[in-house]
């Protein structure tokens, strides 16, 4: 079973308002899926449907090859950890008592407390916690049972730099051990550092699902290069019909990665020395904007 | 279900207000027991020195908070995601509050004897007559009757909590019905009872059950026999559980 989760033709209405429309996507085991989209796109609703918090009017959700129903979600729920919208914490309990409430074994709670660096305040009541501390407790509770699938809705919200780094490190290390993640975040630059695949959603519809690498390569790309003879290099590549410009002593060459060897060969044959080269791929933010605009265009033209 | 019940007990007994409520009720019972004249004291003895009335108020507040807090704190998402059975979540809370209610009735039963010893010394008037019945009989009847009556209170509070946005609204609504329920019921029966006899089956009248067991004269106010009140209570308990669950399950998470 390669896909840990399969969402098929999921539709959800709130009254007459259609929130999700035929949403389908697959979550390969061990991947970190970034659920990306504007506010109100339906990200949290998808997460709540997967977790069984919301019923849905149409479609199926399959977890580890088993269809999720009211009867099966309870047992499968133990294999899924989640932080949706806000941490599920009681203000009259300490952080430690939350672990005791959910029957977490001492060894497991100590491991996750240590991982997230919560030792100094874990025995304080959560009313004394900052927003970021509460968020960390919520993440700790989602991770503590070593679930197969972890769903994190805006996990970086309110976290300081060190905590953000810690959460990133934990997600990456857990993913390396085989845990699958579905993560939504508005901080796309941060999300880009942890995810392997992107699911882009807008107006309750899936716009695309791609591996992050393929998404980067799908859009406008160029290589930036510095040589010992930039003007000659531009002339030479221009003669070979490459789209080249020279700005700020840097060559901008509009090519795909599989054309790079050819370009380098041409320059080296002419004894031009390359002193620096970098790939300017499309980042997640640019890609998201581009695909959302495209989708908007399709909607407008329809 | 057992895991949910364990979690509910854990949450319940982590609240200072819940832990302190027996002491507060004891203090209020002491106040009632040591004040008033001898005749009043006999009456108060049969009524657990008003401990049961204070417990009803505590049950309303604790029950309202127990249900509404999950929505206020957003913890209901975790509960549903972990167990995915709102009925079990609903019933586990009701079971835990009922067990707490039983424990508290037992404590009040013990406290009553303690206060009675304090008031009367070693000569407890257990077999003295009050309203034609030995005090001990009336007191045991009042204890069991109130225990039965508070089950209706619990189901009603959970229904109100399912319909309310916050625990304070739920608690206020529950207390209002608890305090004014029997008076309003009595007014309705007096006003419309002769024309519409079925109004004596209104839910407010059902709160008389425990009181009528211990004080048979209440039948002149309730217009229902003891067994009719028991049946009425059972019907409303089932109805409130169903309506409360529907309200709870439809509440936006």
């Amino acid at each position: 079973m390669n896909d840990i989760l399969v969402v098929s033709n999921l539709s959800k209405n709130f009254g007459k308002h259609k929130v999700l429309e035929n949403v389908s996507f697959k979550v390969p085991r061990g991947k970190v899926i970034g659920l990306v989209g504007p506010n109100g796109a339906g990200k949290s609703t998808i997460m709540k449907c997967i977790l069984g918090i919301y019923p849905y009017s149409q479609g199926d959700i399959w977890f580890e090859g088993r269809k999720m129903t009211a009867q099966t979600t309870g047992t499968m729920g133990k294999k899924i950890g989640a932080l949706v919208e806000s941490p599920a914490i009681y203000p009259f309990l300490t952080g430690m008592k939350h672990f005791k409430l959910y029957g977490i074994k001492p060894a497991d709670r100590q491991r996750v407390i240590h991982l997230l660096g919560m030792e100094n305040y874990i025995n304080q009541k959560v009313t004394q916690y900052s927003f970021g501390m509460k968020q960390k407790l919520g993440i700790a509770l989602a991770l503590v049972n070593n679930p197969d699938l972890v769903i994190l809705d805006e996990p970086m919200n309110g976290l300081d730099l060190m905590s953000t780094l810690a959460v990133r490190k934990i997600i990456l290390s857990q993913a390396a051990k085989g845990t699958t993640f579905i993560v939504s975040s508005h901080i796309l630059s941060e999300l880009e550092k942890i995810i392997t695949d992107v699911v882009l959603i807008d107006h309750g519809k899936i716009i695309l699902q791609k591996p992050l690498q393929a998404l980067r390569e799908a859009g406008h790309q160029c290589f930036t290069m510095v040589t010992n003879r930039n003007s000659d290099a531009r002339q030479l590549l221009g003669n070979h019909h490459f789209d080249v410009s020279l700005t700020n002593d840097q060559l901008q060459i509009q090519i795909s990665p599989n054309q790079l060897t050819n370009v380098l060969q041409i320059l080296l044959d002419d004894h031009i020395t390359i002193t620096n080269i970098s790939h300017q791929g499309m980042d997640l933010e640019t890609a998201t904007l581009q695909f959302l605009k495209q989708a908007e265009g399709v909607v407008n033209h329809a | 279900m057992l895991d949910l019940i364990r979690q509910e007990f854990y949450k319940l007994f982590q609240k200072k207000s819940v832990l302190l409520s027996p002491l507060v009720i004891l203090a209020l019972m002491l106040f009632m027991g040591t004040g008033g004249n001898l005749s009043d004291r006999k009456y108060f003895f049969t009524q657990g020195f008003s401990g049961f009335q204070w417990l009803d108020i505590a049950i309303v507040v604790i029950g309202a908070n127990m249900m509404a807090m999950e929505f206020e704190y957003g913890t209901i998402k975790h509960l549903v995601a972990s167990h995915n059975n709102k009925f079990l979540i609903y019933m586990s809370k009701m079971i835990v509050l009922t067990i707490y209610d039983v424990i508290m009735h037992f404590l009040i039963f013990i406290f009553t004897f303690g206060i009675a010893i304090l008031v009367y010394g070693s000569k407890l008037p257990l077999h003295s007559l009050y309203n034609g019945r030995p005090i001990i009989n009336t007191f045991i009847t009042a204890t069991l009757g109130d225990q039965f009556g508070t089950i209706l209170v619990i189901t009603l509070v959970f229904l109100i909590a399912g319909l309310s946005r916050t625990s304070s609204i739920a608690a206020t609504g529950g207390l209002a019905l608890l305090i004014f329920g029997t008076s309003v019921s009595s007014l309705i029966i007096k006003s419309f009872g002769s024309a519409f006899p079925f109004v004596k089956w209104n839910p407010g009248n059902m709160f008389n059950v425990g009181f009528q067991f211990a004080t048979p004269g209440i039948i002149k106010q309730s217009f229902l026999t003891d067994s009719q009140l028991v049946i009425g209570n059972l019907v409303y308990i089932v109805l409130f559980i169903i309506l409360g669950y529907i309200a709870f399950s439809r509440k936006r998470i």
Side-chain angles (χ1 to χ4, degrees), chain A residues 212-284:
Chain A
L212 183 64
Q213 192 57 36
L215 183 71
R216 282 174 172 155
E217 289 167 5
H220 172 80
Q221 299 183 70
C222 78
F223 284 83
T224 302
M225 196 182 286
V226 179
T227 69
N228 64 336
R229 290 158 44 207
N230 279 341
S231 297
D232 292 344
R234 184 180 68 166
Q235 181 78 36
L236 187 60
L237 292 173
N239 291 344
H240 283 83
H241 309 293
F242 286 108
D243 184 0
V244 189
S245 60
L246 180 60
T247 47
N248 299 329
D249 294 329
Q250 284 188 333
L251 292 162
Q252 307 277 336
I253 312 164
Q254 312 294 331
I255 51 167
S256 62
N258 54 17
Q259 292 175 294
L260 182 61
T261 311
N262 194 14
V263 166
L264 293 176
Q265 194 63 57
I266 292 166
L267 296 175
L268 294 173
D269 286 348
D270 208 61
H271 305 292
I272 292 173
T273 307
I274 298 152
T275 55
N276 196 2
I277 185 167
S278 61
H279 180 213
Q280 305 293 309
M282 187 159 61
D283 61 15
L284 182 59

Side-chain angles (χ1 to χ4, degrees), chain A residues 14 48 51-54 70 73-74 77-78 84-93 97 100-103, chain B residues 3 6-8 10-11 14-16 69-70 73-75 77-84 86 252-253:
Chain A
F14 286 127
K48 286 179 181 176
L51 290 167
I53 296 172
Y54 281 166
T73 311
K78 300 194 189 325
V84 179
E85 287 173 345
S86 56
I89 51 180
Y90 297 92
F92 52 88
L93 296 180
K97 283 181 176 172
K100 291 178 181 172
L101 169 67
Y102 297 124
Chain B
D3 188 40
R6 185 196 61 78
Q7 287 185 20
E8 288 304 327
Y10 189 85
K11 283 183 274 186
Q14 288 296 326
K15 289 180 187 166
K16 277 184 187 160
M69 74 170 179
E70 304 292 357
Y73 305 149
T75 44
K77 292 191 293 270
H78 187 272
L79 277 176
V80 175
S82 307
H83 299 88
N84 201 257
K86 288 183 181 174
R252 182 82 182 263
I253 297 177

Side-chain angles (χ1 to χ4, degrees), chain A residues 90-109:
Chain A
Y90 297 92
F92 52 88
L93 296 180
T94 65
M96 182 62 88
K97 283 181 176 172
H98 278 84
F99 292 109
K100 291 178 181 172
L101 169 67
Y102 297 124
I104 310 296
K105 291 174 191 160
D108 286 339
R109 63 185 185 227

Side-chain angles (χ1 to χ4, degrees), chain A residues 142-167:
Chain A
L143 293 173
V144 72
N145 276 329
N146 285 319
D148 294 336
L149 175 66
V150 180
I151 295 175
L152 300 174
D153 190 7
E154 301 287 347
M156 312 299 184
N157 252 5
L159 295 185
D160 57 26
L161 177 64
M162 296 309 287
S163 302
T164 303
L165 290 174
V167 170

Side-chain angles (χ1 to χ4, degrees), chain B residues 29-132:
Chain B
M29 287 169 68
L30 265 172
F31 179 74
M32 297 302 289
T34 51
N37 57 39
L38 280 175
S39 174
D40 287 342
R41 282 182 196 169
K42 274 188 176 179
Y43 168 72
F44 286 139
F45 190 178
T46 64
Q47 298 301 312
F49 297 107
S50 292
F52 300 132
Q53 281 90 331
W54 293 115
L55 176 60
D56 288 351
I57 293 170
I59 288 291
V60 168
V61 175
I62 292 167
N65 182 257
M66 197 178 193
M67 184 61 74
M69 74 170 179
E70 304 292 357
F71 293 89
E72 283 179 58
Y73 305 149
T75 44
I76 187 69
K77 292 191 293 270
H78 187 272
L79 277 176
V80 175
S82 307
H83 299 88
N84 201 257
N85 191 324
K86 288 183 181 174
F87 186 69
L88 290 185
I89 295 167
Y90 190 78
M91 287 311 294
S92 64
K93 286 180 178 292
M94 198 165 276
I95 289 167
V96 167
L97 189 58
T98 305
I99 294 171
Y100 174 75
D101 185 40
V102 172
I103 295 168
M104 287 300 292
H105 272 87
F106 177 73
L107 285 178
I108 289 171
F109 190 84
I110 303 293
F111 290 165
T112 302
F113 279 103
I115 294 168
I117 290 167
L118 198 71
V119 172
Y120 296 105
S122 58
K123 294 179 180 174
L124 283 178
L126 297 180
H127 301 288
S128 299
L129 296 183
Y130 183 81
N131 275 349

